Amino acid sequence: RVDLNATLWHAGGMAVLGLMPVPLYFVNVFNDVAVAHLLLGPASPAGFNAAQVTSLVGLASSLHDAGINMLQIFWGAWLFPLAALAWKSRLIPRFVAVWLVVNGVAYLALSVTGLAAPSWNGTVSLPAFPAQLGEVAFVVCLLWRGIRGRRTMRDPARAAGAVA
C-alpha cells in the first residue's frame, strides 16, 4: 500500500531540490564568461597587466569551483526523495534505491570537502566516484524496464501473462 500523502511530499521535495540549482547554475556561468572574456578577449582589460589578468582568471575560476561545490548540495539532496520514490515504487530494484542514497551522500561529502577543505577534494573524489554511478544505474534500470515493456506490448500473449 502506497501512502499518497508521503509520495506527494517526496515528489514535491524532489522537484524543488531539483530546480533550486538552476538559477544558481546560471549565476555561476558568469564566472565562466569572465574567464573566457579575460582569456579570449581582443585585448587585456584596460589598466591591467598580464599578471593581474592572470589573477583575475584565477579568481573567476575559484568562484566557479565554489559555485559547483554549492550546487553539489542540491545535486545530492534531490536524490534522497528520488530514492524514497524508487524504493516505494518497486519498479526499480531496491539496491538501486539504496545506491541513490549513497550517491546523494557522496555529492554532499564532495560539497562539504570542496567548501571546507579543498585540499582533501582529490582524496574524497576517488572513493565518491563509484557511489556517484547510482544515477547511471537508475537510468539504466528505467531504460531496461521501458525496453521490456515495449516487448511485452508487442507480444499479446506476454501482455496477457503480465496482466494476470
Side-chain angles (χ1 to χ4, degrees):
R1 183 152 153 51
V2 175
D3 180 11
L4 185 61
N5 196 22
T7 302
L8 290 174
W9 273 105
H10 287 122
M14 189 181 84
V16 168
L17 291 169
L19 292 173
M20 286 290 289
V22 173
L24 295 172
Y25 194 79
F26 278 118
V27 169
N28 199 30
V29 166
F30 286 114
N31 294 313
D32 299 334
V33 171
V35 169
H37 180 72
L38 289 167
L39 292 176
L40 304 173
S44 63
F48 291 101
N49 62 31
Q52 291 170 326
V53 170
T54 303
S55 290
L56 286 173
V57 167
L59 174 64
S61 181
S62 294
L63 289 172
H64 170 81
D65 292 345
I68 293 296
N69 286 326
M70 287 186 277
L71 285 166
Q72 284 178 336
I73 294 169
F74 295 105
W75 295 347
W78 85 280
L79 291 173
F80 299 123
L82 176 64
L85 291 170
W87 182 273
K88 287 179 185 179
S89 75
R90 295 191 177 253
L91 296 172
I92 304 295
R94 292 251 166 126
F95 80 91
V96 175
V98 172
W99 199 350
L100 287 171
V101 170
V102 173
N103 191 348
V105 170
Y107 270 125
L108 294 176
L110 285 169
S111 177
V112 168
T113 304
L115 292 170
S119 62
W120 284 79
N121 214 14
T123 306
V124 174
S125 66
L126 189 62
F129 178 73
Q132 289 179 300
L133 295 176
E135 292 169 282
V136 175
F138 178 73
V139 170
V140 168
C141 287
L142 289 176
L143 289 172
W144 178 254
R145 185 136 181 103
I147 291 168
R148 282 186 42 214
R150 257 199 191 146
R151 262 193 257 142
T152 303
M153 289 172 25
R154 275 190 254 150
D155 185 2
R158 274 184 145 174
V163 174

